[in-house]
Amino acid sequence: MPAIDEKTALAIAKLARLDLREGLAPGTEEAELKKLVEEFGKIVGYMDILGEVDTEGVEPLYSPMVEPRPPREDAPFTAAAKDADARGAKGAPGKPESSGDPDASFDPDDPDSSAKEDRARWILDDAPMTFGRYFTVPKVV
Amino acid sequence: MTKLHELSLEEARAGLLKKDFKVLELAESVLSRIEEVEPKIRACLEVFGEETRKAAAAMDEAGPDPSKKLWGVPVSVKDVFLVKGAPTTAGSRILENYVPGYEATVVEKLREEGALIVAKTNLDEFAMGSSTEFSAYATTKNPRNLERVPGGSSGGAAAGVTAGEFPGAFGTDTGGSIRQPAALCGCVGLKPTYGRVSRYGIIAYGSSLDQAGPLARKVKDTGILLASVAGPDPRDSTSSSVKTDDYADLAEPDPGKLTFAIPKEFWEGTFDPNVKKVLDRALDLLKENGVALKPVSMPRIGYSVATYYVLAASEASTNLARYDGVRYGHRAKKYDDLLSLYVNSRTEGFGKEVKRRILLGTFALSSGYYDAYFKKAAKVRRLIREDFEKALEGADLILAPVSSIPAWPFGAFTDDPLTQYQLDVMTLPLNLAGGPGLSLPAGLGDDGLPVGVQLFGKPFGEKKLLEAGLLLEKIFPALPAAVV
């Protein structure tokens, strides 16, 4: 099975959007990184015992659910309808929104629904940086 | 005289309905106990003092409502349950300023049943850990011995319940995070069947393994708590519509008609001598009382640590991809572009154990390794579930220890993740199989530290599990109240 070298570890970290070098003390950085990679390799190495198990013809089990529930109808919800539905009829599937415009669900300018406004406000309030009603990120293109 | 905070949940509820004392009196007793012991054990990340007093006074005004299962009862929730308007951190820096605008179904149902949410409890970051030492905010101490860990990841819930801070608590169990801290602190913890309790509004770790459940000082109390929250939820497609039983109405079974499977893979390992002594005594007591103990083998249990850590880490790496510094959570101050915004925010926000598991999961899911790790582990998972099904064929329940060692000193394993993972071998298999498990105290070791045992049942067999729990609670020596 694969030995985890520094190159592999750094490639995996990049996929995971993590920086392994961050926080390591300057001077001992390389030694600390080596230790991290070794520890990671040891953990991955332990997982190799799975190879001992004969799984010929065994189907993977990804979820222990006994009876799969039917998926919800593929139709947009409004936040308010979803809330009311979940609170009102327990166990019943939510009512699909008839107007069909998904953007309408989170329109804080809709004067009819204070629940919608409330939702839009707390979603934006939790964002580290916003501009008007939008999340902001550095320029991409 | 018994103080109100010392009452079991069942006693507290009965006293409230009979108007022996007011909701506010019970709440004040609980809040003053919290104030008294928190400086020593740090079980809570947030205490809702004012809200609790206000709600309690309003309930006294309205008068008792016997239709509500938890009328006036103070309960805590682990800090992975979203509580509207209250910071919910999952024990992580990355969610330091996160204030949810909606509530977990569990919290909503608790309120509907008349419970008072009195506190949010400490945990290992994102519920990843077995000692609560990986919380970014506080070190929770074991109320039986302040030099020792409370177990984890629901360490705050178990420590708080054991210390008398609240009569009931909710935690989550992905690989033993309810059952193991219950055993290490000396209280009762129930992991329901996967799908029995809604996961809506609970911060996800391993979505095919996570399940919310109660902790309390008495078996009966965990039944009442489960009865309050069990059932399908239209907002969680993995919640089950299998009929719920009345978990609050329990009858002690006839020990002569009970058979427990005793799997050698759980019982024949190496144990701390104090733990071993308590476990041997527990088996003797069961035999003396007429319970049949049937030796069985669950041959794939030895692979459950590797199976669990591959699958749980893979699910974690996927679930935690959402923390990117854009929509909520921590955003790094320094970044040059979108990629470095993600990398810096995540690197600053996550702690070392979380990063370790994200890396392992990313590796197991990455192209070239997927079949050998993720898919292979999922196949072994099916075989482990078969081991449970087979062991339960000729027995009512499976009996197993919870931990081979008692609560350990702080720092003993924080730099040795693999040893720490291997210590979880008794609790992880159940989550892979999906069934229910109940952890309860078997007695105190000569070192004064509690030792637990756990019962495993068939999927959705919580009632049978709890009823057998009542019997064990009667047979095993009762633990004294924790002196904090």
Side-chain angles (χ1 to χ4, degrees):
Chain A
M1 285 318 230
I4 302 289
D5 55 16
E6 193 174 303
K7 201 178 141 207
T8 312
L10 290 171
I12 296 292
K14 197 179 167 194
L15 283 174
R17 302 291 183 255
L18 292 172
D19 180 0
L20 290 187
R21 291 179 188 275
E22 217 283 324
L24 303 183
T28 58
E29 191 183 329
E30 287 314 308
E32 281 185 61
L33 182 64
K34 200 170 158 235
K35 213 182 126 203
L36 270 178
V37 172
E38 269 172 21
E39 183 189 272
F40 183 44
K42 216 173 117 186
I43 293 172
V44 170
Y46 174 75
M47 306 304 158
D48 287 345
I49 64 162
L50 290 173
E52 294 170 10
V53 188
D54 180 6
T55 53
E56 188 67 38
V58 177
E59 279 299 305
L61 178 68
Y62 295 115
S63 165
M65 274 181 76
V66 180
E67 20 77 78
R69 293 184 77 195
R72 209 163 50 202
E73 206 173 324
D74 185 16
F77 284 96
T78 65
K82 196 171 158 186
D83 274 357
D85 223 67
R87 285 204 191 92
K90 284 233 170 64
K95 233 178 258 158
E97 162 74 353
S98 54
S99 79
D101 176 6
D103 285 344
S105 335
F106 292 115
D107 183 2
D109 298 333
D110 181 351
D112 294 335
S113 168
S114 60
K116 284 180 192 172
E117 278 182 47
D118 183 42
R119 282 206 159 220
R121 203 178 314 113
W122 68 253
I123 289 170
L124 288 166
D125 277 354
D126 272 328
M129 207 182 277
T130 52
F131 178 76
R133 286 168 45 206
Y134 300 93
F135 301 121
T136 57
V137 291
K139 197 173 172 203
V140 180
V141 283
Chain B
M1 205 188 103
T2 310
K3 291 178 183 158
L4 295 182
H5 70 79
E6 293 168 357
L7 297 175
S8 74
L9 189 150
E10 188 190 16
E11 292 162 344
R13 180 180 181 271
L16 288 169
L17 292 181
K18 279 193 292 176
K19 291 195 169 184
D20 289 347
F21 43 86
K22 291 181 172 179
V23 181
L24 189 56
E25 288 173 303
L26 175 62
E28 289 294 0
S29 176
V30 158
L31 287 168
S32 66
R33 178 65 179 163
I34 290 175
E35 203 176 311
E36 182 190 352
V37 297
E38 266 310 284
K40 294 177 198 158
I41 65 167
R42 282 308 307 275
C44 303
L45 289 177
E46 175 131 13
V47 178
F48 304 113
E50 276 322 296
E51 293 91 330
T52 302
R53 285 188 184 95
K54 227 173 110 185
M59 292 177 96
D60 283 325
E61 187 80 15
D65 183 349
S67 73
K68 294 187 188 297
K69 296 185 182 79
L70 297 168
W71 190 80
V73 175
V75 169
S76 71
V77 294
K78 185 179 181 176
D79 203 21
V80 284
F81 291 87
L82 303 193
V83 172
K84 191 172 178 174
T88 299
T89 67
S92 181
R93 286 281 167 222
I94 212 159
L95 285 175
E96 190 160 13
N97 299 311
Y98 177 60
V99 180
Y102 68 104
E103 290 201 314
T105 297
V106 165
V107 174
E108 218 174 77
K109 286 192 170 184
L110 287 172
R111 291 196 205 275
E112 278 169 21
E113 291 294 348
L116 300 167
I117 308 294
V118 70
K120 300 202 80 182
T121 55
N122 198 18
L123 69 157
D124 288 295
E125 184 177 2
F126 284 104
M128 299 180 196
S130 314
S131 64
T132 315
E133 290 170 285
F134 291 123
S135 166
Y137 299 101
T139 305
T140 299
K141 294 176 180 160
N142 193 313
R144 307 261 176 202
N145 180 338
L146 301 177
E147 313 280 305
R148 305 281 173 138
V149 301
S153 67
S154 311
V161 160
T162 304
E165 289 188 307
F166 20 77
F170 269 86
T172 55
D173 191 314
T174 306
S177 285
I178 289 173
R179 290 163 288 142
Q180 184 259 22
L184 266 45
C185 288
C187 66
V188 183
L190 172 69
K191 182 204 100 74
T193 308
Y194 182 80
R196 183 69 304 171
V197 177
S198 169
R199 294 187 295 113
Y200 179 78
I202 299 173
I203 295 173
Y205 158 24
S207 300
S208 82
L209 303 152
D210 295 343
Q211 183 59 201
L215 298 96
R217 295 187 290 271
K218 291 281 175 196
V219 171
K220 181 81 191 286
D221 296 346
T222 58
I224 298 170
L225 289 164
L226 177 64
S228 309
V229 301
D233 179 1
R235 294 172 296 188
D236 173 8
S237 66
T238 64
S239 67
S240 172
S241 49
V242 170
K243 202 181 137 294
T244 54
D245 295 311
D246 188 352
Y247 309 110
D249 180 24
L250 305 174
E252 205 182 284
D254 175 356
K257 289 180 182 159
L258 217 48
T259 303
F260 290 164
I262 307 291
K264 66 171 187 195
E265 289 76 10
F266 284 92
W267 290 91
E268 286 178 3
T270 311
F271 288 92
D272 171 275
N274 286 313
V275 172
K276 179 92 175 96
K277 208 168 146 185
V278 176
L279 291 174
D280 286 346
R281 178 84 187 115
L283 291 178
D284 287 343
L285 284 168
L286 288 170
K287 275 187 259 178
E288 283 165 26
N289 280 275
V291 178
L293 303 180
K294 183 187 167 203
V296 296
S297 173
M298 297 173 69
R300 273 71 62 108
I301 291 302
Y303 298 100
S304 49
V305 173
T307 305
Y308 173 87
Y309 276 96
V310 166
L311 294 175
S314 297
E315 293 184 15
S317 81
T318 311
N319 272 326
L320 272 56
R322 74 190 68 178
Y323 303 101
D324 58 4
V326 175
R327 288 156 305 154
Y328 51 85
H330 174 76
R331 170 180 274 199
K333 294 239 167 13
K334 281 189 193 159
Y335 50 85
D336 306 317
D337 52 17
L338 189 59
L339 181 66
S340 63
L341 164 66
Y342 295 157
V343 172
N344 297 352
S345 300
R346 289 165 63 80
T347 301
E348 290 172 15
F350 291 135
K352 71 176 174 183
E353 182 57 27
V354 170
K355 286 179 188 162
R356 218 177 255 149
R357 296 195 194 187
I358 291 175
L359 284 179
L360 176 62
T362 306
F363 171 78
L365 290 172
S366 63
S367 157
Y369 302 112
Y370 181 91
D371 283 349
Y373 291 93
F374 184 67
K375 202 170 174 186
K376 178 78 183 182
K379 290 178 179 178
V380 180
R381 181 180 192 177
R382 183 176 296 278
L383 297 175
I384 290 169
R385 186 168 77 172
E386 281 176 20
D387 280 358
F388 275 86
E389 289 163 352
K390 227 174 140 208
L392 284 166
E393 269 170 19
D396 296 292
L397 300 164
I398 300 169
L399 181 74
V402 182
S403 173
S404 57
I405 58 170
W408 54 87
F410 291 97
F413 302 108
T414 37
D415 291 320
D416 188 0
L418 202 49
T419 304
Q420 174 85 79
Y421 297 170
Q422 284 161 339
L423 281 172
D424 297 339
V425 65
M426 312 263 192
T427 52
L428 307 173
L430 184 72
N431 299 77
L432 294 167
L438 177 72
S439 160
L440 74 166
L444 285 182
D446 292 342
D447 52 4
L449 294 168
V451 177
V453 292
Q454 50 183 345
L455 288 166
F456 307 139
K458 288 187 180 129
F460 304 103
E462 281 84 359
K463 186 161 180 167
K464 196 171 177 182
L465 197 64
L466 289 161
E467 291 186 326
L470 284 182
L471 178 72
L472 268 54
E473 191 173 53
K474 200 179 80 182
I475 293 176
F476 295 155
L479 262 51
V483 182
V484 188

